[in-house]
Amino acid sequence: MTLILGLESSCDDSAAALVTGDRQVLAQAVVGQNSAHQPYGGVVPEIAARAHVEVLPGLIRQVLDEAGVVVADLDAVAATAGPGLIGGVMVGLLAGKGLALAGGKPLIAVNHLEGHALSPRLTEEDLGFPYLLLLASGGHCQLLEVRGVGRYRRLATTIDDAAGEAFDKAAKLLGLPYPGGPAIETLAAEGSPTAVPLPRPLLGSGEPHFSFAGLKSAVQRAVASGAYRPADIAASFQQAVVDCLVDRTRRALEQGGAPTLVVAGGVAANGAIRGALQRVAEQEGRRFAAPPGWLCTDNAVMIAWAGAERLAMGLTDPLDVPARARWPLDAAAGAVRGAGVKA
Ligand code: KG4
Ligand code: ZN
């Protein structure tokens, strides 16, 4: 069975993992940088890149030792080559290139978004193509038709903020720590989702896209008014995001024939969002799949698994493959009016 080492360093998590082609996770390690970025309320690219330099080699050593394997045992080295914060991407990709070069192993340059997109196929063996994917993370909010490895059609994207970004910004307004998603979810459990009137941008709209900037501004006004409990704002905000994600996803399901709805990316770790999307899938007569929470937020298992899927198809990359700050899954999809500049 093939054995793949995966490396992840595109944002604020350094991670390494060993995964086999028959879906066994032999070892994995993730080290986040939350405390380093917390004083700034967001990820500082330069700090992130430096931290990857310090942490990643130790994680590689750790997973190899834990699994009792050496570089010579690997069939390939898979490293995130983008999209993301370019300094960090370069650190992980170059580490992967070094190992591939020294060990005489194939290199696989993995698109971080493909890591998220294929992750449910690691835990759900019978999940076949095509499926409709809601990819919701700190940098992205897209609906994609996943037709196969390397074959994506973008159906919708955000015209401003990503869903995770909205959680992070709302959390900052509420004085909660970064990353905001888990903090809001915890606080929301003590609040009422109907207490604060908040907008649902583009809800019921004829166009397919997402928008969260107006929601963030409304949260800002609600906080400034002093009229609401923070827990009620958190719960009402989370409900507004749920409603937007559900509405846009339902629209895509109604228009497309994919038999399965999949949600992945850091925001898919949210219980309210998973539950609501599962209900939509049931109502629309589709199967529902979501990776376990630990596989939703950034990790190297999904990068190793995407590497395994690509290796099985003979898709490897030359050692001069570039690191890419921007790297859309669907290269043919154009920019959307009003869309931000995030990778
Ligand atoms: O996929 P990910 O780990 O990194 C990116 O590739 O962006 O996603 C991180 C994002 C952050 O914005 C974080 O606030 C959000 O996912 N997130 C959540 C939850 N856990 C992480 N959002 C809502 N609820 C959660 N439980
Ligand atoms: Zn991610």
Side-chain angles (χ1 to χ4, degrees):
M1 193 34 68
T2 54
L3 176 63
I4 289 90
L5 172 68
L7 304 177
E8 161 60 30
S9 61
S10 66
C11 191
D12 59 344
D13 293 297
S14 310
L18 283 163
V19 174
T20 67
D22 64 352
R23 296 183 164 78
Q24 294 176 61
V25 179
L26 298 189
Q28 71 144 325
V30 186
V31 172
Q33 309 169 355
N34 289 346
S35 57
H37 300 289
Q38 217 149 60
Y40 310 95
V43 179
V44 182
E46 182 73 21
I47 292 174
R50 287 166 188 254
H52 293 306
V53 168
E54 291 167 19
V55 169
L56 200 52
L59 296 184
I60 297 169
R61 175 82 277 153
Q62 184 183 327
V63 295
L64 289 171
D65 288 351
E66 215 176 294
V69 301
V70 293
V71 173
D73 298 323
L74 301 175
D75 291 286
V77 179
T80 298
L85 302 173
I86 195 67
V89 173
M90 288 195 287
V91 172
L93 180 58
L94 193 56
K97 288 184 178 190
L99 287 168
L101 183 60
K105 306 294 178 183
L107 173 74
I108 303 169
V110 173
N111 183 316
H112 177 86
L113 302 175
E114 178 155 71
H116 281 301
L118 299 177
S119 63
R121 282 166 52 84
L122 171 65
T123 45
E124 307 226 5
E125 201 169 327
D126 60 342
L127 176 61
F129 301 116
Y131 48 87
L132 177 71
L133 171 70
L134 172 62
L135 177 50
S137 69
H140 299 268
C141 189
Q142 303 185 350
L143 282 162
L144 294 146
E145 186 192 353
V146 183
R147 297 169 166 174
V149 175
R151 297 177 58 216
Y152 301 90
R153 190 164 70 95
R154 197 191 72 196
L155 306 173
T157 187
T158 178
I159 61 168
D160 39 55
D161 293 346
E165 191 179 5
F167 270 96
D168 296 336
K169 287 180 174 174
K172 199 171 177 179
L173 291 167
L174 286 165
L176 298 172
Y178 176 87
I184 293 226
E185 184 172 15
T186 303
L187 185 59
E190 295 157 27
S192 160
T194 55
V196 186
L198 293 173
R200 270 79 171 146
L202 297 182
L203 199 89
S205 156
E207 64 169 309
H209 300 299
F210 298 93
S211 169
F212 296 104
L215 179 54
K216 177 199 64 192
S217 306
V219 167
Q220 194 167 19
R221 288 192 294 274
V223 172
S225 76
Y228 304 103
R229 292 169 58 224
D232 287 338
I233 297 175
S236 300
F237 165 80
Q238 181 172 274
Q239 187 59 49
V241 174
V242 165
D243 290 348
C244 293
L245 294 176
V246 160
D247 179 74
R248 311 285 70 201
T249 303
R250 187 192 301 281
R251 184 184 181 284
L253 281 176
E254 282 168 359
Q255 299 199 338
T260 305
L261 170 64
V262 171
V263 59
V267 177
N270 184 288
I273 289 170
R274 292 167 81 97
L277 290 167
Q278 178 157 16
R279 286 191 290 281
V280 176
E282 281 162 11
Q283 286 160 6
E284 298 293 328
R286 316 295 171 90
R287 174 177 166 185
F288 177 76
W294 65 267
L295 197 51
C296 289
T297 48
D298 284 350
N299 64 84
V301 171
M302 69 181 191
I303 303 305
W305 173 249
E309 294 241 44
R310 295 187 80 81
L311 185 67
M313 298 178 67
L315 299 170
T316 64
D317 295 279
L319 283 173
D320 64 353
V321 67
R324 300 172 65 171
R326 300 182 66 106
W327 187 3
L329 280 178
D330 179 357
V336 173
R337 176 188 54 80
V341 293
K342 288 169 283 294

